[in-house]
């Protein structure tokens, strides 16, 4: 079976994942580990530091002491999430991170946000096969409650995603988008005096 570094490298290359492949078997293995850790996160009280330690275990990466999480939190994998400094994830968020989720610094993620990084094949004969595509969230981004971020989306620095939005394409720096599908609302004027 492949190791975590190989797994992340293959996902970064957007490798097609067939249901009978070693990579698909790795998905299953990592999902079982993620279920164990998220059950611990979600079914018992933990201090902020304990939650951070559990997220380090879940992601297999260092997480800055400024990280905050309100459980419950759900993920299909865990090992392909990168979290910057001063990130807050509110309750009931769901991360499908096999394809990669990268979160910049000073990011706020609202309740019930779903971030997806996998698409199924269109051909019904092979619908179980998957194609990963990462979601990249820049610095100083605010994602409102009940949002869905679809595979391959890049949200640039300073953007705001309005509550209830479905983000299907990239979001420009310092803009507000909202709706289903999310559309440009306005540019954020930044005064750097």
């Amino acid at each position: 079976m492949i190791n975590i570094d190989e797994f992340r490298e293959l996902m970064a290359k957007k490798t097609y994942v067939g249901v009978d492949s070693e990579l698909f078997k790795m998905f299953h293995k990592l999902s079982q580990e993620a279920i164990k850790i998220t059950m611990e996160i979600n079914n018992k009280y933990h201090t902020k530091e304990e939650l951070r330690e559990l997220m380090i275990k879940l992601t297999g990466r260092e997480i800055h002491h400024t990280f905050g999480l309100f459980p419950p939190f759900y993920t299909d994998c865990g090992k392909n999430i990168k979290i910057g400094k001063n990130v807050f994830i509110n309750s009931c968020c769901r991360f499908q991170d096999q394809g990669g989720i990268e979160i910049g610094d000073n990011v706020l993620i609202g309740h019930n946000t779903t971030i997806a990084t996998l698409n199924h094949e269109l051909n019904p004969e092979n619908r179980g096969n998957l194609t990963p595509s990462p979601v990249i969230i820049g610095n100083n981004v605010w994602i409102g409650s009940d949002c869905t971020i679809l595979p391959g989306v890049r949200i640039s620095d300073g953007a705001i995603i309005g509550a209830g939005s479905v983000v299907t394409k990239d979001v420009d720096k310092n803009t507000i988008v909202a709706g289903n599908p999310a559309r440009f609302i306005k540019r954020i004027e930044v005064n750097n005096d």
Side-chain angles (χ1 to χ4, degrees):
M1 187 165 283
I2 64 175
N3 66 38
I4 295 299
D5 291 332
E6 292 169 328
F7 167 75
R8 289 175 179 151
E9 185 178 317
L10 288 168
M11 292 299 94
K13 292 178 181 176
K14 299 183 181 179
T15 301
Y16 171 84
V17 183
V19 294
D20 295 325
S21 69
E22 286 299 310
L23 202 47
F24 197 87
K25 291 174 188 168
M26 184 67 159
F27 278 16
H28 179 72
K29 177 182 181 285
L30 293 175
S31 70
Q32 296 309 299
E33 291 175 13
I35 289 168
K36 285 182 187 176
I37 298 167
T38 55
M39 290 293 285
E40 175 67 20
I41 290 170
N42 297 337
N43 292 298
K44 179 179 169 188
Y45 172 78
H46 297 284
T47 65
K48 179 179 177 176
E49 184 54 35
E50 289 169 339
L51 285 171
R52 180 177 156 267
E53 290 299 323
L54 285 164
M55 287 296 286
I56 289 170
K57 185 177 177 182
L58 178 66
T59 63
R61 302 177 193 263
E62 188 55 40
I63 296 177
H64 197 263
H65 69 89
T66 55
F67 173 75
L69 170 70
F70 281 178
F73 175 76
Y74 306 96
T75 184
D76 292 357
C77 176
K79 295 296 189 265
N80 214 2
I81 302 171
K82 285 186 188 176
I83 298 173
K85 296 177 182 173
N86 199 34
V87 169
F88 177 69
I89 301 172
N90 221 322
S91 60
C92 298
C93 289
R94 293 167 301 281
F95 288 10
Q96 180 198 54
D97 67 288
Q98 288 94 330
I101 297 173
E102 187 174 327
I103 302 169
D105 296 339
N106 307 309
V107 172
L108 302 170
I109 300 178
H111 299 84
N112 297 314
T113 291
T114 297
I115 301 176
T117 66
L118 295 174
N119 276 314
H120 288 274
E121 188 171 313
L122 296 178
N123 181 341
E125 299 296 319
N126 300 312
R127 189 69 43 86
N129 297 332
L130 302 165
T131 304
S133 193
V135 170
I136 311 294
I137 300 169
N139 297 323
N140 304 304
V141 170
W142 173 19
I143 299 173
S145 296
D146 296 304
C147 290
T148 299
I149 315 298
L150 295 183
V153 167
R154 178 180 292 270
I155 301 173
S156 298
D157 294 352
I160 297 173
I161 311 301
S165 296
V166 177
V167 185
T168 61
K169 60 184 180 178
D170 291 354
V171 178
D172 291 337
K173 182 176 180 176
N174 296 325
T175 59
I176 299 173
V177 300
N180 182 3
R183 294 174 300 283
F184 173 82
I185 302 297
K186 71 177 192 175
R187 185 155 306 284
I188 300 167
E189 298 301 324
V190 178
N191 186 354
N192 294 322
D193 288 341

